[in-house]
Amino acid sequence: MFAPRTTPWPLVALFTAGYLAPYLLPTTVGRLERGLGLSATQAGAVGSALLLSSAIAGFLLASRVERAGARTLARLGLLLAAVGYGGAALTTAVPAVVAGAVIGGFGSGTATTVAATRIAAERDPHRASALGLLSVSALAGVVYLTVPHLPGHGLTLAAIALTALAVWPLTSRLPAGTPGPRRTAPGDATARLPHRRSGMVLAGAMLLWSLAQNALWGVSGRIGVGQAHLSEATVGAVFAVALGAGLLGVLGAGALGSRLGRALPIGGGTVLIAGCIALSASATGLGSFAAGEIAWNTIYPVVLSYLIGLAASLDPRGRWAVLVGSASSLGTAAGPLTGSVLSAQAGFPVMGAVLGTGLLLVALPMTAVALHTGGRPLLPGAVRRRGGHPAAVVAAATGTPTGAVPEVGAPEQPVVEIPLDGTPAPAQRTYDTAAAARAPGAY
C-alpha cells in the first residue's frame, strides 16, 4: 500500500515561531532606533544581541533534545519567547528592552533547535523546511503591511510574542521524548558525528553566508528611507511584496524538490543573491530598491531550504542540522552590527559590493559540500550488497529523492550470505531485501 504523505504542522508552526525574529529584524531595529532614541549602531547591537542569544541556545541544546524531550523544550522556548519579547514590547527602559530581547532570543533559538532536530527525522526534510519558510514568510509579510501604520517601538516584538503563544497548543502533538530517528546500527545513539569535515565546512560557510544576508537585511530599512528617499509605509510595502515573492520561491523549491540536486540551487542561487545585494545596496529610488529586495527575497528562501536539507542529510539524528543552524544564527547575529559599521564607514554601495564579493567566495565551499555528500540516487528496490544499510537509510543519508526508496511491510534486514559446503556456487545475481512483503513507496 502507499504510505500516507502527512504534513508535520506542529513542526512547521514551531519553525515559524523560531524564525520570525530574524525575518522581522529590519523593522525591529528601525523601531528601536526611532522609538527609543538609539543610534543606528546601538539599535543594530540590540538586534545582534537577540540573534546571538538565539545562536547560543542552539549550540547548548543541539545534543540535548532527545534527552529532555521535544515537547518540554519546545514549551520552554515558546514561554521564554513570549515573556522576553512581550516584556520588551511593554517597556521603554532600554536595559529592560535589551534584557527582554536576549531572553526572547534564547526562546526563539530553543524553538528553532527542536524544530530542526525533528525536521531532520522527517522522511523529506526539504519539504518540511520549505513549508516552514513558507509559513514564516507569509506571517512576516502580514506584519510588514501592518506595523508601519501603528505607533510604538515594540510592535514587532509583540507580534513575535503573540506568535509564540499561538503555537503553544500545538506542542501537545510533539513527543515527550524524541526518539533517535533513522539510526543505522544498534548503539548509534552515542556514535560520533558523521561527515565531520563536510559539516564543519558547511557550518563555517553558513556563518559567513548568513552574516552577508543579514548585514544588508538589518539596514535595508535605512537604505529605503535614507538613500532611496521612501516613506516607512512604502518601505514596509516593498518588504511585504518581497516576502510574498519569497512565498513563490519556496513553493517553487518545494515543487522542484531534488530534481536538480542541491549543488546547483545552492551555488547558483548564492551567486544570484550576491548580485541582488549589490543592486539593493546601491538603490537610489523605488524601482532599483524594490527590484533588489524582491529578487533577493525570492531567491534567498529557496537557497536556504536546500541548505537546511543538506545539513539534515549529514546526520539522521539532526545534530548537524542544529549545529549548522546555530552557526548560521551566529552570522545572523553579527549581521546587523556588521551592516551598520560598514555602511557608516564606507556607505551603502560599498557595503553591498563587499558583501556580494564575500558571497561569491562562500558559494564555492558550500557547493563543494553539496557535491561531495550528494550521493548516488538509488534505483527502486536497490540496497547495498555489503554493510547492511537498508535502502531507506541510505537514501536518507545521501539526500536521495524518496520516490526511489521502496517501503515494505516489515523492517528491512541486511542480506547475509551463508556458504553451503558441497553445493555448487549459484550464478551471481542481485540480492533483494529480506522483508515479508513489498510495496512501492509513496514519496
Side-chain angles (χ1 to χ4, degrees):
M1 295 177 63
F2 288 92
R5 183 169 182 166
T6 58
T7 300
W9 291 118
L11 296 182
V12 172
L14 194 62
F15 185 99
T16 301
Y19 262 79
L20 187 59
Y23 265 69
L24 296 179
L25 188 63
T27 188
T28 300
V29 171
R31 286 277 168 158
L32 291 177
E33 180 183 351
R34 292 185 293 273
L36 300 179
L38 302 178
S39 67
T41 302
Q42 289 172 332
V46 175
S48 292
L50 184 159
L51 297 174
L52 179 60
S53 179
S54 179
I56 291 173
F59 282 117
L60 292 178
L61 301 175
S63 60
R64 292 176 171 83
V65 175
E66 294 181 11
R67 189 182 314 148
R71 185 188 307 165
T72 300
L73 278 183
R75 289 179 171 176
L76 174 62
L78 294 175
L79 177 63
L80 291 176
V83 171
Y85 294 128
L90 295 174
T91 182
T92 57
V94 174
V97 170
V98 174
V102 170
I103 294 172
F106 195 91
S108 292
T110 302
T112 302
T113 298
V114 176
T117 303
R118 295 300 303 166
I119 285 175
E122 293 291 311
R123 292 180 177 177
D124 191 349
H126 179 266
R127 177 173 176 267
S129 60
L131 287 172
L133 291 172
L134 191 69
S135 174
V136 72
S137 296
L139 182 57
V142 172
V143 174
Y144 276 118
L145 286 175
T146 306
V147 166
H149 302 286
L150 301 172
H153 77 281
L155 288 175
T156 53
L157 297 171
I160 304 171
L162 292 175
T163 300
L165 291 176
V167 171
W168 177 280
L170 296 178
T171 58
S172 61
R173 297 172 60 184
L174 295 175
T178 305
R182 296 196 304 237
R183 291 177 184 169
T184 59
D188 183 61
T190 58
R192 295 179 62 189
L193 277 171
H195 301 292
R196 294 175 68 88
R197 182 178 300 177
S198 296
M200 292 176 66
V201 170
L202 182 61
M206 276 293 289
L207 189 154
L208 298 176
W209 189 86
S210 296
L211 186 149
Q213 310 286 334
N214 286 276
L216 179 64
W217 189 234
V219 299
S220 287
R222 289 167 52 202
I223 294 174
V225 173
Q227 182 172 279
H229 308 294
L230 306 175
S231 66
E232 183 185 359
T234 302
V235 171
V238 170
F239 286 159
V241 173
L243 290 173
L247 298 180
L248 298 178
V250 174
L251 288 173
L256 184 64
S258 57
R259 290 180 178 85
L260 298 179
R262 293 192 181 102
L264 180 59
I266 289 174
T270 299
V271 171
L272 293 177
I273 288 174
C276 294
I277 286 181
L279 174 61
S280 183
S282 61
T284 56
L286 176 59
S288 55
F289 180 74
E293 292 290 329
I294 292 173
W296 173 35
N297 281 277
T298 301
I299 303 170
Y300 165 79
V302 176
V303 180
L304 180 59
S305 68
Y306 280 97
L307 286 169
I308 293 174
L310 176 60
S313 72
L314 295 180
D315 176 28
R317 293 181 61 212
R319 290 170 293 179
W320 273 126
V322 174
L323 292 174
V324 170
S326 298
S328 174
S329 296
L330 283 179
T332 301
L337 187 58
T338 301
S340 296
V341 172
L342 278 176
S343 60
Q345 297 296 322
F348 293 122
V350 174
M351 178 202 71
V354 172
L355 297 177
T357 302
L359 280 176
L360 293 178
L361 297 177
V362 168
L364 296 175
M366 290 196 305
T367 304
V369 171
L371 289 171
H372 179 67
T373 61
R376 179 181 300 174
L378 293 176
L379 298 177
V383 302
R384 288 189 177 182
R385 293 286 308 280
R386 300 287 192 269
H389 292 287
V393 173
V394 176
T398 59
T400 304
T402 50
V405 183
E407 290 186 75
V408 295
E412 294 180 286
Q413 301 294 329
V415 173
V416 179
E417 298 180 38
I418 304 176
L420 299 176
D421 295 334
T423 59
Q428 185 68 32
R429 65 181 183 274
T430 302
Y431 286 89
D432 204 346
T433 52
R438 300 180 54 81
Y443 294 149

